[in-house]
Amino acid sequence: MQKLTVLYGHPTDIETFERYYQEKHLPLAATMEGVAKLELTRFLGTPDGQKADYYRMAELYFTSTEQMQETMSSPEGQATVDDLSNFATGGVNVIVGITENDS
């Protein structure tokens, strides 16, 4: 599967980030057709108790590269990407990969 990973840096205000993320961004992302699976992670820290490099991660899975491109270039996909600047005050990195352990 094709995977789009969104890594969120630590926000300047966690409460504001979480409220916007839950109430606005995730519902907007849910309008994107073609996402086969979505996993959301909030990092707690490193195994030795240090602060994690990132605050949150969203992983969006697609059945093919073409499906990912179609979804992300759709009006809903573009609106979701454009929305990142409205709340991701800690910065955001978006990377693409292919899963190697599909079952």
mmCIF file of all heavy atoms in Angstrom, residues 33-75:
data_model
loop_
_atom_site.group_PDB
_atom_site.id
_atom_site.type_symbol
_atom_site.label_atom_id
_atom_site.label_comp_id
_atom_site.label_asym_id
_atom_site.label_seq_id
_atom_site.Cartn_x
_atom_site.Cartn_y
_atom_site.Cartn_z
ATOM 1 N N GLU A 33 -12.173 11.146 -0.336
ATOM 2 C CA GLU A 33 -12.499 9.792 -0.773
ATOM 3 C C GLU A 33 -11.231 9.092 -1.239
ATOM 4 O O GLU A 33 -10.339 9.720 -1.790
ATOM 5 C CB GLU A 33 -13.521 9.843 -1.896
ATOM 6 C CG GLU A 33 -14.873 10.371 -1.436
ATOM 7 C CD GLU A 33 -15.919 10.341 -2.534
ATOM 8 O OE1 GLU A 33 -15.675 9.704 -3.581
ATOM 9 O OE2 GLU A 33 -16.967 10.955 -2.333
ATOM 10 N N GLY A 34 -11.154 7.791 -0.998
ATOM 11 C CA GLY A 34 -10.031 7.000 -1.480
ATOM 12 C C GLY A 34 -9.015 6.633 -0.423
ATOM 13 O O GLY A 34 -8.051 5.926 -0.721
ATOM 14 N N VAL A 35 -9.201 7.105 0.802
ATOM 15 C CA VAL A 35 -8.291 6.724 1.885
ATOM 16 C C VAL A 35 -8.726 5.345 2.376
ATOM 17 O O VAL A 35 -9.839 5.167 2.851
ATOM 18 C CB VAL A 35 -8.330 7.750 3.041
ATOM 19 C CG1 VAL A 35 -7.419 7.307 4.182
ATOM 20 C CG2 VAL A 35 -7.941 9.141 2.547
ATOM 21 N N ALA A 36 -7.848 4.353 2.239
ATOM 22 C CA ALA A 36 -8.187 2.985 2.622
ATOM 23 C C ALA A 36 -8.136 2.786 4.133
ATOM 24 O O ALA A 36 -8.877 1.981 4.693
ATOM 25 C CB ALA A 36 -7.245 1.995 1.930
ATOM 26 N N LYS A 37 -7.255 3.532 4.798
ATOM 27 C CA LYS A 37 -7.073 3.384 6.240
ATOM 28 C C LYS A 37 -6.421 4.651 6.766
ATOM 29 O O LYS A 37 -5.601 5.266 6.082
ATOM 30 C CB LYS A 37 -6.164 2.176 6.509
ATOM 31 C CG LYS A 37 -5.840 1.919 7.957
ATOM 32 C CD LYS A 37 -4.916 0.708 8.067
ATOM 33 C CE LYS A 37 -4.440 0.493 9.480
ATOM 34 N NZ LYS A 37 -3.497 -0.623 9.573
ATOM 35 N N LEU A 38 -6.779 5.020 7.989
ATOM 36 C CA LEU A 38 -6.208 6.189 8.643
ATOM 37 C C LEU A 38 -5.796 5.810 10.050
ATOM 38 O O LEU A 38 -6.586 5.224 10.793
ATOM 39 C CB LEU A 38 -7.232 7.332 8.687
ATOM 40 C CG LEU A 38 -6.860 8.572 9.501
ATOM 41 C CD1 LEU A 38 -5.667 9.286 8.897
ATOM 42 C CD2 LEU A 38 -8.058 9.508 9.598
ATOM 43 N N GLU A 39 -4.548 6.094 10.411
ATOM 44 C CA GLU A 39 -4.065 5.865 11.772
ATOM 45 C C GLU A 39 -3.567 7.186 12.330
ATOM 46 O O GLU A 39 -2.824 7.904 11.659
ATOM 47 C CB GLU A 39 -2.923 4.852 11.802
ATOM 48 C CG GLU A 39 -3.360 3.440 11.560
ATOM 49 C CD GLU A 39 -2.218 2.444 11.755
ATOM 50 O OE1 GLU A 39 -1.036 2.831 11.703
ATOM 51 O OE2 GLU A 39 -2.534 1.266 11.939
ATOM 52 N N LEU A 40 -3.968 7.489 13.565
ATOM 53 C CA LEU A 40 -3.553 8.715 14.236
ATOM 54 C C LEU A 40 -2.772 8.351 15.484
ATOM 55 O O LEU A 40 -3.187 7.478 16.246
ATOM 56 C CB LEU A 40 -4.777 9.543 14.633
ATOM 57 C CG LEU A 40 -5.738 9.910 13.501
ATOM 58 C CD1 LEU A 40 -6.971 10.608 14.062
ATOM 59 C CD2 LEU A 40 -5.042 10.784 12.464
ATOM 60 N N THR A 41 -1.642 9.015 15.704
ATOM 61 C CA THR A 41 -0.793 8.747 16.856
ATOM 62 C C THR A 41 -0.462 10.064 17.548
ATOM 63 O O THR A 41 -0.118 11.040 16.890
ATOM 64 C CB THR A 41 0.527 8.079 16.408
ATOM 65 O OG1 THR A 41 0.233 6.880 15.704
ATOM 66 C CG2 THR A 41 1.422 7.778 17.600
ATOM 67 N N ARG A 42 -0.571 10.061 18.876
ATOM 68 C CA ARG A 42 -0.066 11.176 19.692
ATOM 69 C C ARG A 42 1.110 10.602 20.463
ATOM 70 O O ARG A 42 0.970 9.647 21.222
ATOM 71 C CB ARG A 42 -1.121 11.715 20.646
ATOM 72 C CG ARG A 42 -0.654 12.960 21.404
ATOM 73 C CD ARG A 42 -1.746 13.582 22.256
ATOM 74 N NE ARG A 42 -2.421 12.645 23.128
ATOM 75 C CZ ARG A 42 -1.956 12.254 24.329
ATOM 76 N NH1 ARG A 42 -0.824 12.731 24.784
ATOM 77 N NH2 ARG A 42 -2.637 11.402 25.059
ATOM 78 N N PHE A 43 2.287 11.174 20.263
ATOM 79 C CA PHE A 43 3.499 10.644 20.874
ATOM 80 C C PHE A 43 3.585 11.033 22.343
ATOM 81 O O PHE A 43 3.264 12.157 22.718
ATOM 82 C CB PHE A 43 4.739 11.136 20.126
ATOM 83 C CG PHE A 43 4.805 10.615 18.718
ATOM 84 C CD1 PHE A 43 4.650 11.464 17.640
ATOM 85 C CD2 PHE A 43 5.005 9.265 18.479
ATOM 86 C CE1 PHE A 43 4.700 10.983 16.338
ATOM 87 C CE2 PHE A 43 5.061 8.770 17.177
ATOM 88 C CZ PHE A 43 4.902 9.643 16.109
ATOM 89 N N LEU A 44 4.040 10.082 23.164
ATOM 90 C CA LEU A 44 4.190 10.301 24.599
ATOM 91 C C LEU A 44 5.627 10.641 24.967
ATOM 92 O O LEU A 44 5.874 11.253 26.003
ATOM 93 C CB LEU A 44 3.736 9.056 25.359
ATOM 94 C CG LEU A 44 2.303 8.618 25.095
ATOM 95 C CD1 LEU A 44 2.010 7.319 25.824
ATOM 96 C CD2 LEU A 44 1.324 9.709 25.510
ATOM 97 N N GLY A 45 6.576 10.247 24.156
ATOM 98 C CA GLY A 45 7.982 10.493 24.432
ATOM 99 C C GLY A 45 8.824 9.342 23.926
ATOM 100 O O GLY A 45 8.332 8.446 23.244
ATOM 101 N N THR A 46 10.093 9.365 24.279
ATOM 102 C CA THR A 46 11.009 8.313 23.861
ATOM 103 C C THR A 46 11.079 7.243 24.956
ATOM 104 O O THR A 46 10.646 7.485 26.092
ATOM 105 C CB THR A 46 12.419 8.888 23.613
ATOM 106 O OG1 THR A 46 12.940 9.376 24.849
ATOM 107 C CG2 THR A 46 12.387 10.013 22.584
ATOM 108 N N PRO A 47 11.631 6.072 24.670
ATOM 109 C CA PRO A 47 11.730 5.029 25.694
ATOM 110 C C PRO A 47 12.507 5.456 26.939
ATOM 111 O O PRO A 47 12.244 4.963 28.030
ATOM 112 C CB PRO A 47 12.449 3.884 24.966
ATOM 113 C CG PRO A 47 12.113 4.079 23.531
ATOM 114 C CD PRO A 47 12.059 5.580 23.353
ATOM 115 N N ASP A 48 13.431 6.386 26.781
ATOM 116 C CA ASP A 48 14.200 6.839 27.948
ATOM 117 C C ASP A 48 13.605 8.079 28.615
ATOM 118 O O ASP A 48 14.246 8.723 29.438
ATOM 119 C CB ASP A 48 15.666 7.074 27.575
ATOM 120 C CG ASP A 48 15.858 8.178 26.552
ATOM 121 O OD1 ASP A 48 14.857 8.761 26.072
ATOM 122 O OD2 ASP A 48 17.019 8.473 26.217
ATOM 123 N N GLY A 49 12.350 8.420 28.260
ATOM 124 C CA GLY A 49 11.639 9.498 28.932
ATOM 125 C C GLY A 49 11.841 10.888 28.361
ATOM 126 O O GLY A 49 11.354 11.866 28.931
ATOM 127 N N GLN A 50 12.536 10.990 27.252
ATOM 128 C CA GLN A 50 12.757 12.297 26.630
ATOM 129 C C GLN A 50 11.543 12.716 25.800
ATOM 130 O O GLN A 50 10.685 11.889 25.462
ATOM 131 C CB GLN A 50 13.999 12.246 25.727
ATOM 132 C CG GLN A 50 15.274 11.880 26.445
ATOM 133 C CD GLN A 50 15.659 12.888 27.505
ATOM 134 O OE1 GLN A 50 15.703 14.085 27.253
ATOM 135 N NE2 GLN A 50 15.922 12.403 28.712
ATOM 136 N N LYS A 51 11.496 13.966 25.460
ATOM 137 C CA LYS A 51 10.436 14.494 24.589
ATOM 138 C C LYS A 51 10.645 13.941 23.179
ATOM 139 O O LYS A 51 11.771 13.937 22.668
ATOM 140 C CB LYS A 51 10.516 16.018 24.581
ATOM 141 C CG LYS A 51 9.429 16.711 23.814
ATOM 142 C CD LYS A 51 9.588 18.225 23.976
ATOM 143 C CE LYS A 51 8.488 18.985 23.294
ATOM 144 N NZ LYS A 51 8.641 20.442 23.505
ATOM 145 N N ALA A 52 9.576 13.476 22.562
ATOM 146 C CA ALA A 52 9.652 12.956 21.195
ATOM 147 C C ALA A 52 9.955 14.100 20.224
ATOM 148 O O ALA A 52 9.639 15.259 20.503
ATOM 149 C CB ALA A 52 8.334 12.282 20.811
ATOM 150 N N ASP A 53 10.553 13.767 19.103
ATOM 151 C CA ASP A 53 10.852 14.780 18.094
ATOM 152 C C ASP A 53 9.587 15.395 17.518
ATOM 153 O O ASP A 53 9.597 16.544 17.082
ATOM 154 C CB ASP A 53 11.679 14.181 16.956
ATOM 155 C CG ASP A 53 13.101 13.854 17.376
ATOM 156 O OD1 ASP A 53 13.582 14.417 18.384
ATOM 157 O OD2 ASP A 53 13.725 13.024 16.693
ATOM 158 N N TYR A 54 8.500 14.618 17.498
ATOM 159 C CA TYR A 54 7.225 15.086 16.944
ATOM 160 C C TYR A 54 6.121 14.949 17.977
ATOM 161 O O TYR A 54 6.196 14.124 18.892
ATOM 162 C CB TYR A 54 6.861 14.287 15.683
ATOM 163 C CG TYR A 54 7.811 14.547 14.545
ATOM 164 C CD1 TYR A 54 8.853 13.672 14.271
ATOM 165 C CD2 TYR A 54 7.680 15.684 13.758
ATOM 166 C CE1 TYR A 54 9.742 13.927 13.242
ATOM 167 C CE2 TYR A 54 8.567 15.942 12.717
ATOM 168 C CZ TYR A 54 9.588 15.067 12.466
ATOM 169 O OH TYR A 54 10.461 15.323 11.443
ATOM 170 N N TYR A 55 5.071 15.742 17.798
ATOM 171 C CA TYR A 55 3.927 15.730 18.704
ATOM 172 C C TYR A 55 2.874 14.703 18.278
ATOM 173 O O TYR A 55 2.349 13.947 19.090
ATOM 174 C CB TYR A 55 3.306 17.130 18.760
ATOM 175 C CG TYR A 55 2.038 17.196 19.563
ATOM 176 C CD1 TYR A 55 2.078 17.010 20.943
ATOM 177 C CD2 TYR A 55 0.810 17.416 18.963
ATOM 178 C CE1 TYR A 55 0.914 17.047 21.703
ATOM 179 C CE2 TYR A 55 -0.351 17.454 19.714
ATOM 180 C CZ TYR A 55 -0.297 17.271 21.076
ATOM 181 O OH TYR A 55 -1.449 17.301 21.825
ATOM 182 N N ARG A 56 2.559 14.685 16.988
ATOM 183 C CA ARG A 56 1.536 13.784 16.444
ATOM 184 C C ARG A 56 1.975 13.265 15.090
ATOM 185 O O ARG A 56 2.829 13.857 14.434
ATOM 186 C CB ARG A 56 0.190 14.513 16.253
ATOM 187 C CG ARG A 56 -0.711 14.494 17.451
ATOM 188 C CD ARG A 56 -2.131 14.934 17.025
ATOM 189 N NE ARG A 56 -3.075 14.753 18.084
ATOM 190 C CZ ARG A 56 -3.708 13.615 18.360
ATOM 191 N NH1 ARG A 56 -3.492 12.548 17.638
ATOM 192 N NH2 ARG A 56 -4.561 13.546 19.348
ATOM 193 N N MET A 57 1.305 12.172 14.684
ATOM 194 C CA MET A 57 1.516 11.604 13.360
ATOM 195 C C MET A 57 0.172 11.119 12.828
ATOM 196 O O MET A 57 -0.605 10.507 13.554
ATOM 197 C CB MET A 57 2.496 10.425 13.437
ATOM 198 C CG MET A 57 2.694 9.692 12.122
ATOM 199 S SD MET A 57 3.995 8.419 12.226
ATOM 200 C CE MET A 57 3.306 7.288 13.420
ATOM 201 N N ALA A 58 -0.070 11.412 11.567
ATOM 202 C CA ALA A 58 -1.242 10.871 10.869
ATOM 203 C C ALA A 58 -0.719 10.050 9.695
ATOM 204 O O ALA A 58 0.152 10.512 8.952
ATOM 205 C CB ALA A 58 -2.148 11.988 10.367
ATOM 206 N N GLU A 59 -1.228 8.827 9.561
ATOM 207 C CA GLU A 59 -0.818 7.952 8.468
ATOM 208 C C GLU A 59 -2.047 7.618 7.635
ATOM 209 O O GLU A 59 -3.009 7.047 8.145
ATOM 210 C CB GLU A 59 -0.176 6.681 9.012
ATOM 211 C CG GLU A 59 1.103 6.958 9.788
ATOM 212 C CD GLU A 59 1.605 5.740 10.518
ATOM 213 O OE1 GLU A 59 0.962 5.375 11.532
ATOM 214 O OE2 GLU A 59 2.611 5.165 10.082
ATOM 215 N N LEU A 60 -2.000 8.000 6.378
ATOM 216 C CA LEU A 60 -3.101 7.754 5.449
ATOM 217 C C LEU A 60 -2.641 6.710 4.443
ATOM 218 O O LEU A 60 -1.593 6.876 3.800
ATOM 219 C CB LEU A 60 -3.492 9.039 4.716
ATOM 220 C CG LEU A 60 -4.089 10.152 5.566
ATOM 221 C CD1 LEU A 60 -2.996 10.969 6.239
ATOM 222 C CD2 LEU A 60 -4.963 11.038 4.724
ATOM 223 N N TYR A 61 -3.400 5.643 4.317
ATOM 224 C CA TYR A 61 -3.048 4.530 3.438
ATOM 225 C C TYR A 61 -3.936 4.554 2.196
ATOM 226 O O TYR A 61 -5.136 4.833 2.281
ATOM 227 C CB TYR A 61 -3.240 3.203 4.162
ATOM 228 C CG TYR A 61 -2.314 3.020 5.340
ATOM 229 C CD1 TYR A 61 -2.610 3.580 6.583
ATOM 230 C CD2 TYR A 61 -1.145 2.279 5.216
ATOM 231 C CE1 TYR A 61 -1.763 3.404 7.666
ATOM 232 C CE2 TYR A 61 -0.299 2.096 6.295
ATOM 233 C CZ TYR A 61 -0.614 2.666 7.516
ATOM 234 O OH TYR A 61 0.227 2.490 8.588
ATOM 235 N N PHE A 62 -3.315 4.215 1.071
ATOM 236 C CA PHE A 62 -4.018 4.184 -0.215
ATOM 237 C C PHE A 62 -3.676 2.881 -0.929
ATOM 238 O O PHE A 62 -2.579 2.339 -0.753
ATOM 239 C CB PHE A 62 -3.581 5.370 -1.077
ATOM 240 C CG PHE A 62 -3.841 6.706 -0.442
ATOM 241 C CD1 PHE A 62 -2.889 7.298 0.375
ATOM 242 C CD2 PHE A 62 -5.038 7.369 -0.644
ATOM 243 C CE1 PHE A 62 -3.115 8.530 0.971
ATOM 244 C CE2 PHE A 62 -5.278 8.602 -0.050
ATOM 245 C CZ PHE A 62 -4.319 9.181 0.758
ATOM 246 N N THR A 63 -4.577 2.401 -1.765
ATOM 247 C CA THR A 63 -4.365 1.132 -2.457
ATOM 248 C C THR A 63 -3.321 1.231 -3.565
ATOM 249 O O THR A 63 -2.773 0.220 -3.987
ATOM 250 C CB THR A 63 -5.682 0.609 -3.052
ATOM 251 O OG1 THR A 63 -6.239 1.625 -3.898
ATOM 252 C CG2 THR A 63 -6.673 0.256 -1.951
ATOM 253 N N SER A 64 -3.033 2.441 -4.040
ATOM 254 C CA SER A 64 -2.057 2.614 -5.116
ATOM 255 C C SER A 64 -1.561 4.054 -5.143
ATOM 256 O O SER A 64 -2.175 4.953 -4.549
ATOM 257 C CB SER A 64 -2.686 2.279 -6.477
ATOM 258 O OG SER A 64 -3.690 3.238 -6.790
ATOM 259 N N THR A 65 -0.475 4.242 -5.860
ATOM 260 C CA THR A 65 0.055 5.593 -6.054
ATOM 261 C C THR A 65 -0.978 6.460 -6.759
ATOM 262 O O THR A 65 -1.179 7.621 -6.396
ATOM 263 C CB THR A 65 1.355 5.542 -6.885
ATOM 264 O OG1 THR A 65 2.309 4.730 -6.196
ATOM 265 C CG2 THR A 65 1.916 6.922 -7.127
ATOM 266 N N GLU A 66 -1.634 5.882 -7.742
ATOM 267 C CA GLU A 66 -2.636 6.631 -8.502
ATOM 268 C C GLU A 66 -3.790 7.077 -7.607
ATOM 269 O O GLU A 66 -4.272 8.201 -7.729
ATOM 270 C CB GLU A 66 -3.166 5.779 -9.677
ATOM 271 C CG GLU A 66 -2.127 5.464 -10.729
ATOM 272 C CD GLU A 66 -1.161 4.335 -10.333
ATOM 273 O OE1 GLU A 66 -1.477 3.548 -9.413
ATOM 274 O OE2 GLU A 66 -0.080 4.272 -10.936
ATOM 275 N N GLN A 67 -4.220 6.191 -6.699
ATOM 276 C CA GLN A 67 -5.320 6.544 -5.789
ATOM 277 C C GLN A 67 -4.889 7.674 -4.859
ATOM 278 O O GLN A 67 -5.647 8.592 -4.602
ATOM 279 C CB GLN A 67 -5.774 5.335 -4.984
ATOM 280 C CG GLN A 67 -6.936 5.646 -4.047
ATOM 281 C CD GLN A 67 -8.175 6.105 -4.798
ATOM 282 O OE1 GLN A 67 -8.758 5.354 -5.558
ATOM 283 N NE2 GLN A 67 -8.576 7.350 -4.596
ATOM 284 N N MET A 68 -3.668 7.600 -4.361
ATOM 285 C CA MET A 68 -3.171 8.665 -3.492
ATOM 286 C C MET A 68 -3.132 9.998 -4.239
ATOM 287 O O MET A 68 -3.587 11.025 -3.727
ATOM 288 C CB MET A 68 -1.783 8.334 -2.964
ATOM 289 C CG MET A 68 -1.262 9.396 -2.007
ATOM 290 S SD MET A 68 0.457 9.158 -1.541
ATOM 291 C CE MET A 68 1.264 9.548 -3.082
ATOM 292 N N GLN A 69 -2.619 9.984 -5.457
ATOM 293 C CA GLN A 69 -2.541 11.213 -6.244
ATOM 294 C C GLN A 69 -3.932 11.769 -6.538
ATOM 295 O O GLN A 69 -4.163 12.976 -6.451
ATOM 296 C CB GLN A 69 -1.770 10.959 -7.535
ATOM 297 C CG GLN A 69 -0.304 10.699 -7.283
ATOM 298 C CD GLN A 69 0.439 10.209 -8.515
ATOM 299 O OE1 GLN A 69 -0.154 9.713 -9.480
ATOM 300 N NE2 GLN A 69 1.762 10.329 -8.483
ATOM 301 N N GLU A 70 -4.866 10.885 -6.870
ATOM 302 C CA GLU A 70 -6.236 11.317 -7.156
ATOM 303 C C GLU A 70 -6.874 11.934 -5.917
ATOM 304 O O GLU A 70 -7.500 12.993 -5.981
ATOM 305 C CB GLU A 70 -7.065 10.125 -7.648
ATOM 306 C CG GLU A 70 -8.496 10.475 -7.989
ATOM 307 C CD GLU A 70 -9.284 9.267 -8.456
ATOM 308 O OE1 GLU A 70 -8.704 8.398 -9.158
ATOM 309 O OE2 GLU A 70 -10.480 9.176 -8.123
ATOM 310 N N THR A 71 -6.713 11.274 -4.774
ATOM 311 C CA THR A 71 -7.307 11.763 -3.529
ATOM 312 C C THR A 71 -6.702 13.097 -3.120
ATOM 313 O O THR A 71 -7.418 14.048 -2.791
ATOM 314 C CB THR A 71 -7.109 10.734 -2.397
ATOM 315 O OG1 THR A 71 -7.790 9.527 -2.758
ATOM 316 C CG2 THR A 71 -7.645 11.243 -1.073
ATOM 317 N N MET A 72 -5.378 13.178 -3.137
ATOM 318 C CA MET A 72 -4.723 14.383 -2.645
ATOM 319 C C MET A 72 -4.867 15.565 -3.598
ATOM 320 O O MET A 72 -4.793 16.714 -3.173
ATOM 321 C CB MET A 72 -3.246 14.103 -2.349
ATOM 322 C CG MET A 72 -3.041 13.060 -1.247
ATOM 323 S SD MET A 72 -4.035 13.321 0.251
ATOM 324 C CE MET A 72 -3.395 14.879 0.830
ATOM 325 N N SER A 73 -5.117 15.308 -4.875
ATOM 326 C CA SER A 73 -5.314 16.411 -5.821
ATOM 327 C C SER A 73 -6.775 16.816 -5.949
ATOM 328 O O SER A 73 -7.089 17.800 -6.612
ATOM 329 C CB SER A 73 -4.733 16.050 -7.194
ATOM 330 O OG SER A 73 -5.442 14.967 -7.763
ATOM 331 N N SER A 74 -7.666 16.087 -5.292
ATOM 332 C CA SER A 74 -9.088 16.441 -5.322
ATOM 333 C C SER A 74 -9.311 17.739 -4.545
ATOM 334 O O SER A 74 -8.463 18.146 -3.734
ATOM 335 C CB SER A 74 -9.919 15.321 -4.688
ATOM 336 O OG SER A 74 -9.707 15.296 -3.279
ATOM 337 N N PRO A 75 -10.440 18.406 -4.753
ATOM 338 C CA PRO A 75 -10.729 19.615 -3.967
ATOM 339 C C PRO A 75 -10.695 19.356 -2.463
ATOM 340 O O PRO A 75 -10.190 20.186 -1.696
ATOM 341 C CB PRO A 75 -12.130 20.019 -4.435
ATOM 342 C CG PRO A 75 -12.251 19.462 -5.821
ATOM 343 C CD PRO A 75 -11.465 18.170 -5.789
#
